[in-house]
Amino acid sequence: MATVDELIQDGQTRMQKSVDHARNEFNTVRTGRASASLLDRIEVDYYGTKTPLKQLATIGVPEPRMLTIQPFDPSSIRNIEKAIQESDLGLTPSNDGKMIRLPIPQLTEERRKELVKVVRGLAEEHRVAVREIRRDAMRHLKELVDSGDVGADEEHRAEERVQKLTDDHVHRIDELLKRKEAEILEV
């Protein structure tokens, strides 16, 4: 039977994973400057298998508004280009046969607002995930009380700890959101 401390520790670990995942998702949302992490979600059809772009090529950032993609296998250059064009990034690749250049255009005001909405949606998904973890922990706590393993006072203290953890992790997600919004809206 899990103890209260194990229950809370598990909840904290899962909530932290949710915050880390939010941070990674935010990194894949485009801002005004080039970043190799923009291409993290791109998967290329490589000999019939969906393969992450970063496993097929070296991605470089030679200047603030340019990404370069150097495929390990030059025959995959067409498929890489196609995957980028079909993505939601709205970027137009150009290649010289050996390397793909990906200019990062200045974001329009309208596009910035769309991206802020996308980021807010991602943040809300992760806040909901944290709250579901809290609900899970509370349910398990209730089971411990019902089975007589935990008293009412200990249950109350544990619920407060779980709530504080939830508030802390939701606050971290909000901080990440605030930073990402500022980054997107920065001209």
Side-chain angles (χ1 to χ4, degrees):
M1 197 65 174
T3 66
V4 170
D5 287 336
E6 288 170 349
L7 218 138
I8 289 174
Q9 187 60 47
D10 175 59
Q12 181 172 13
T13 304
R14 289 170 56 205
M15 286 180 189
Q16 186 55 47
K17 283 181 183 166
S18 195
V19 170
D20 293 342
H21 191 258
R23 180 179 298 117
N24 292 339
E25 290 273 296
F26 287 172
N27 285 341
T28 66
V29 175
R30 192 175 126 204
T31 58
R33 58 179 85 87
S35 160
S37 62
L38 280 179
L39 303 174
D40 283 354
R41 288 186 300 182
I42 304 282
E43 293 201 329
V44 180
D45 183 11
Y46 187 64
Y47 294 108
T49 307
K50 288 283 184 197
T51 310
L53 175 58
K54 58 186 171 189
Q55 290 179 12
L56 296 176
T58 305
I59 301 168
V61 187
E63 51 194 78
R65 297 213 172 280
M66 177 72 69
L67 286 172
T68 56
I69 302 161
Q70 179 92 47
F72 303 130
D73 172 5
S75 69
S76 67
I77 205 160
R78 289 265 177 264
N79 290 350
I80 291 173
E81 244 183 339
K82 186 174 175 221
I84 293 169
Q85 286 167 338
E86 290 173 353
S87 74
D88 60 357
L89 291 174
L91 300 175
T92 311
S94 65
N95 85 63
D96 60 11
K98 294 187 185 85
M99 179 188 291
I100 297 174
R101 290 187 188 350
L102 207 53
I104 310 287
Q106 195 80 33
L107 290 173
T108 64
E109 192 59 37
E110 189 180 315
R111 183 70 178 136
R112 285 176 198 276
K113 286 185 174 126
E114 281 174 30
L115 290 173
V116 166
K117 281 183 190 159
V118 167
V119 172
R120 284 182 181 156
L122 290 171
E124 185 54 33
E125 282 174 27
H126 289 87
R127 279 191 218 106
V128 167
V130 167
R131 289 187 203 112
E132 285 175 2
I133 294 166
R134 176 193 60 197
R135 196 183 63 229
D136 241 21
M138 295 295 200
R139 186 172 43 80
H140 289 304
L141 201 57
K142 199 92 190 121
E143 288 169 5
L144 287 176
V145 172
D146 293 345
S147 68
D149 295 335
V150 173
D153 288 348
E154 196 177 349
E155 176 194 18
H156 184 68
R157 280 194 300 276
E159 282 177 355
E160 284 178 351
R161 284 170 64 192
V162 170
Q163 186 58 50
K164 185 177 178 342
L165 272 179
T166 304
D167 294 343
D168 287 349
H169 286 84
V170 166
H171 179 70
R172 287 187 201 161
I173 290 171
D174 290 341
E175 288 298 307
L176 290 170
L177 172 64
K178 221 183 296 179
R179 274 204 304 269
K180 189 63 180 185
E181 280 182 354
E183 198 179 305
I184 290 171
L185 296 172
E186 173 189 315
V187 180

